[in-house]
């Protein structure tokens, strides 16, 4: 027979020790899984960090400024008459990420700006890559008609490949404006004088 007053205590103690042991094993298992996941996450973070650093280094190399380009927009001639209003032209100069403007001259078909700009040239603009789209590979001069009551209208533009320009040698001349609405040579598009 069990001793008086303590007959069921041994079984309860064993059950309590088993529950404590199961709790301890569960905690150890949780810590192990947490450690494994944390290690995997740290490896992923480290790999992603290296990938970002490589991309930044490549982008920095592509975006490195290798020189400047001096552009002078002197004048335009024979611009077409506006169908609704006076022709109020201004010039937009685009090279890569940069976009600059000449002042608007009101009621002019032969405007004279004589404005000079200095643009930065990046290394990615001089080599043929995925990023060397027309916007990056060319100097673009657009003549735009400013409208007071509606959106401005593109008269025409000229694109000069950066690869055709020589360092230290200014190339100046008249360029016939290309227009997206031109049907042929009979369409009066005008010309712009650019020096680069």
């Amino acid at each position: 027979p069990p001793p008086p007053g303590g007959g069921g205590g041994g079984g309860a103690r064993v059950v309590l020790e088993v529950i404590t042991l199961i709790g301890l094993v569960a905690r150890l298992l949780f810590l192990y899984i947490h450690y494994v996941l944390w290690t995997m996450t740290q490896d992923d973070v480290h790999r992603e960090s290296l990938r970002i650093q490589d991309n930044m280094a490549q982008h920095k190399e592509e975006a490195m400024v290798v020189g400047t380009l001096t552009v002078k927009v002197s004048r335009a001639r024979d611009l077409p008459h506006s169908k609704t209003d006076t022709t109020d032209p201004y010039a937009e100069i685009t090279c890569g990420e940069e976009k600059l403007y000449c002042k608007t001259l009101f009621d002019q078909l032969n405007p004279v700006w004589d404005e000079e700009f200095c643009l930065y040239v990046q290394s990615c603009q001089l080599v043929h890559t995925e990023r060397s789209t027309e916007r990056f590979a060319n100097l673009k001069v657009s003549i735009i008609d400013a409208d007071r009551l509606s959106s401005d209208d593109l008269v025409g533009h000229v694109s000069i490949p950066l690869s055709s320009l020589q360092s230290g040698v200014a190339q100046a001349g008249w360029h016939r404006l290309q227009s997206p609405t031109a049907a042929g040579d009979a369409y009066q598009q005008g010309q712009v004088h650019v020096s680069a």
Side-chain angles (χ1 to χ4, degrees):
R13 184 176 309 156
V14 169
V15 171
L16 184 61
E17 287 176 5
V18 168
I19 291 173
T20 304
L21 185 61
I22 291 172
L24 183 61
V25 169
R27 280 191 216 133
L28 287 173
L29 185 61
F30 171 78
L31 289 174
Y32 176 74
I33 291 171
H34 182 72
Y35 172 76
V36 168
L37 291 176
W38 181 82
T39 303
M40 287 174 50
T41 303
Q42 292 303 310
D43 288 343
D44 291 343
V45 167
H46 182 68
R47 277 193 296 274
E48 183 66 12
S49 174
L50 291 175
R51 188 188 66 77
I52 290 172
Q53 288 175 3
D54 287 344
N55 285 348
M56 286 176 60
Q58 180 181 359
H59 181 69
K60 183 178 179 183
E61 184 179 309
E62 287 178 356
M64 186 175 22
V65 173
V66 293
T68 58
L69 176 64
T70 303
V71 178
K72 182 176 182 180
V73 180
S74 301
R75 56 180 35 127
R77 66 183 177 195
D78 303 325
L79 298 181
H81 289 278
S82 174
K83 294 178 178 134
T84 58
D85 199 0
T86 59
T87 301
D88 306 321
Y90 64 92
E92 175 185 272
I93 298 92
T94 308
C95 186
E97 306 269 342
E98 294 191 81
K99 190 178 284 190
L100 303 166
Y101 300 91
C102 289
K103 62 183 174 266
T104 301
L105 299 176
F106 296 98
D107 200 12
Q108 294 287 321
L109 298 178
N110 298 297
V112 177
W113 291 288
D114 279 329
E115 292 189 38
E116 192 169 275
F117 303 93
C118 187
L119 302 144
Y120 291 108
V121 177
Q122 298 173 341
S123 58
C124 65
Q125 293 175 265
L126 301 177
V127 294
H128 183 68
T129 65
E130 289 181 18
R131 290 190 63 201
S132 64
T133 60
E134 181 182 343
R135 183 178 69 141
F136 280 90
N138 294 318
L139 166 67
K140 183 176 179 181
V141 179
S142 302
I143 305 301
I144 301 169
D145 180 16
D147 287 329
R148 296 180 192 111
L149 302 176
S150 63
S151 61
D152 295 351
D153 299 317
L154 174 66
V155 175
H157 72 274
V158 61
S159 290
I160 302 169
L162 293 178
S163 60
S164 71
L165 302 175
Q166 296 176 0
S167 179
V169 179
Q171 296 181 7
W174 288 99
H175 300 272
R176 186 171 177 83
L177 294 172
Q178 303 298 313
S179 174
T181 59
D185 291 338
Y187 182 80
Q188 184 183 2
Q189 305 172 100
Q191 296 180 330
V192 63
H193 191 277
V194 177
S195 172

